[in-house]
Structure formats: C-alpha cells, structure tokens
C-alpha cells in the first residue's frame, strides 16, 4: 500500500485500514490496567506482512514504571515474529484518537521508520512529520 500527501501535507490512506485498526485499538483499550490515572489507552498497528498487533497501557503504583500502549504493541510485534510497522493508531476510553508521546514516537520510529503512517486527530501523518530528524539505528553505526 502506498500513501500520498494531500494539499495540507497529510497522508491519504484507505479508510478500511484505519477502521480496522481503530476497532482493534478499542478492543485492546478494554484490557488496559489504569487504576491510578483512570485513562485507559489501546494501540493497534499493521505490520508489513499484514498482521494487526495491539497493545494497552499498564500502570504501576510507582507511577514512572507504567508502560504505554505502544510499549506493549512493540513487545507484541517482537513476540509474534517481528517485521516493520506500516500503520499505527491509538485511542482513549471514548475511542478518540490520541497522538503518541515523545518516548513512544521514538519507539515507533525504531520499528516503523520515517514512512510509518500514524493516525492523529488532525489526520494521517508520517512518522517523519511527527518526529523530524529522528535519532535512529543508523546513528549507532560505527563510523571510520
């Protein structure tokens, strides 16, 4: 699947893909463990081999040790065979689209790269638009 940018720089993509991901993210959100913030989050992504993977946030009494939904999603990606993320969305308890935090943008960049399509409240964007000039695995190459 390819995406094209519209006049505002947003990436256009077929709605059925995003509808399927939204449903998967909403289902994942119902498994979130959020007794402290009461802000359950679910995430879903499409992998380059067509699989849909999901994750949910898991809080901890030591607040800083909580895991975002994106962390669970990437763990699921690795656990189920790896691959590259191609599409990503994240929702709250009301099914409203959320934007990944900075830490999670970096995590998603690692496993989807700059072309990863991310649904935001303003529309579909590429990861390079959400995390310009990102630090990635290529920066860790030994240079001679």
């Amino acid at each position: 699947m390819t995406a094209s940018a519209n006049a505002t720089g947003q990436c256009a993509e077929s709605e059925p893909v995003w509808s399927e991901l939204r449903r998967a993210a909403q289902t994942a959100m119902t498994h979130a463990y959020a007794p402290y913030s009461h802000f359950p989050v679910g995430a879903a992504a499409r992998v380059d081999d067509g699989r849909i993977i999901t994750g949910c946030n898991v809080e901890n009494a030591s607040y800083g040790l909580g895991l975002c939904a994106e962390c669970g999603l990437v763990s699921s990606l690795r656990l189920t065979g790896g691959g590259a993320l191609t599409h990503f969305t994240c929702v709250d308890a009301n099914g409203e689209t959320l934007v990944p935090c900075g830490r999670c943008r970096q995590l998603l960049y690692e496993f989807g790269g700059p072309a990863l399509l991310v649904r935001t409240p303003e529309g579909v964007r590429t990861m390079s638009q959400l995390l310009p000039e990102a630090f990635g695995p290529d920066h860790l190459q030994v240079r001679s």
Side-chain angles (χ1 to χ4, degrees):
M1 263 183 236
T2 59
S4 58
N6 66 20
T8 63
Q10 294 179 339
C11 293
E13 186 59 61
S14 67
E15 191 53 41
V17 170
W18 295 111
S19 295
E20 181 180 19
L21 289 177
R22 179 184 218 88
R23 284 190 303 274
Q26 287 175 308
T27 298
M29 179 274 307
T30 66
H31 298 285
Y33 178 71
Y36 308 107
S37 71
H38 305 288
F39 193 78
V41 176
R46 173 169 256 162
V47 183
D48 57 358
D49 63 8
R51 283 178 296 138
I52 300 290
I53 57 170
T54 59
C56 63
N57 60 321
V58 177
E59 295 180 349
N60 186 283
S62 177
Y63 295 126
L65 295 179
L67 298 174
C68 296
E70 294 87 341
C71 295
L73 182 139
V74 167
S75 182
S76 180
L77 173 69
R78 298 298 305 154
L79 183 64
T80 62
L85 303 176
T86 61
H87 299 71
F88 173 84
T89 193
C90 193
V91 300
D92 65 15
N94 296 319
E96 297 296 321
T97 301
L98 299 172
V99 177
C101 70
R103 172 184 173 222
C104 290
R105 290 178 195 199
Q106 183 66 43
L107 187 62
L108 292 169
Y109 181 88
E110 181 88 10
F111 292 94
L116 172 62
L117 297 176
V118 180
R119 183 138 203 181
T120 74
E122 289 75 36
V124 178
R125 306 267 194 248
T126 62
M127 183 51 67
S128 64
Q129 290 173 304
L130 293 178
L131 191 64
E133 299 185 40
F135 182 84
D138 291 343
H139 291 97
L140 298 176
Q141 299 290 330
V142 176
R143 310 226 193 257
S144 48

